[in-house]
Amino acid sequence: MDLRFEWARLGDLSAPAFHAAMVQREAVFIIEQKCIFPDADAYDLQCWHLLAWAGHDLAAYLRVTDPGSKYPEPSLGRVLTNPAYRGKGLGQLLLTEALVRCEQTWPAHANRIGAQHYLLKFYQGFGFEPVSDVYLEDDIPHIEMLRPAIAR
Ligand SMILES: CC(C)(COP(=O)(O)OP(=O)(O)OC[C@H]1O[C@@H](n2cnc3c(N)ncnc32)[C@H](O)[C@@H]1OP(=O)(O)O)[C@@H](O)C(=O)NCCC(=O)NCCS
């Protein structure tokens, strides 16, 4: 599948691109996960957004908050694959691209995430390790995970 990645601050995304991201985020994090909590928040205004386009479809998406924003480290979040594109390895490609972008944007920084617990092994595959007990966020079990900076 041909994927085109777009990495941009909100102000540099087109309105239709950000709309597509919000449509997928609502569909996944509110409706699919039956989680009646706000999805859009103030982090959207200043973070980086990573969009994976398959033609005109938004196939996968995540955002990255800056160091010192949500956590002292940069932090991946709102990781999703459009349900129509799941199980084809896009989650893997999205994470790989995001970690390359993070390394380019903030060289030699660790990355900290608040991961949904059911994806522990998925994130461990990218070098993240648990650094907290399991906790509830928006009624969903989460665990904080840290990926150390790559030694240079
Ligand atoms: C998690 C998600 C992004 C994976 O997307 P995907 O494109 O289907 O992922 P891939 O095909 O690249 O699969 C990667 C790995 O994800 C993990 N994974 C995917 N779905 C999973 C599930 N339901 N339960 C546990 N692990 C799962 C597996 O480790 C899988 O590797 P495997 O195929 O070798 O077992 C997607 O299922 C999704 O959008 N889920 C809902 C949103 C969400 O929970 N986001 C995470 C917030 S922390």
Side-chain angles (χ1 to χ4, degrees), residues 28-29 32-33 60 77-83 85-94 114-116 118-119 121-123 142:
V28 171
F29 293 110
E32 177 185 328
Q33 299 199 335
R78 301 292 197 268
V79 177
L80 71 83
T81 296
N82 177 333
Y85 288 86
R86 292 208 185 140
K88 303 174 194 293
L90 263 65
Q92 298 276 357
L93 292 175
L94 182 74
Q116 292 195 19
Y118 83 104
L119 291 172
K121 286 201 164 53
F122 173 62
Y123 290 116
H142 279 73

Side-chain angles (χ1 to χ4, degrees), residues 37-48:
F37 288 88
D39 174 61
D41 61 19
Y43 294 121
D44 286 319
L45 300 172
Q46 52 74 37
C47 69
W48 287 92

Side-chain angles (χ1 to χ4, degrees), residues 11 15 39 47 49 63-64 74 84-85 97-98 102 126 130 133-134 136 151:
D39 174 61
C47 69
H49 300 267
R63 71 180 186 182
V64 186
Y85 288 86
E97 180 75 15
C102 285
F126 290 94
D133 293 332
V134 178
L136 281 184

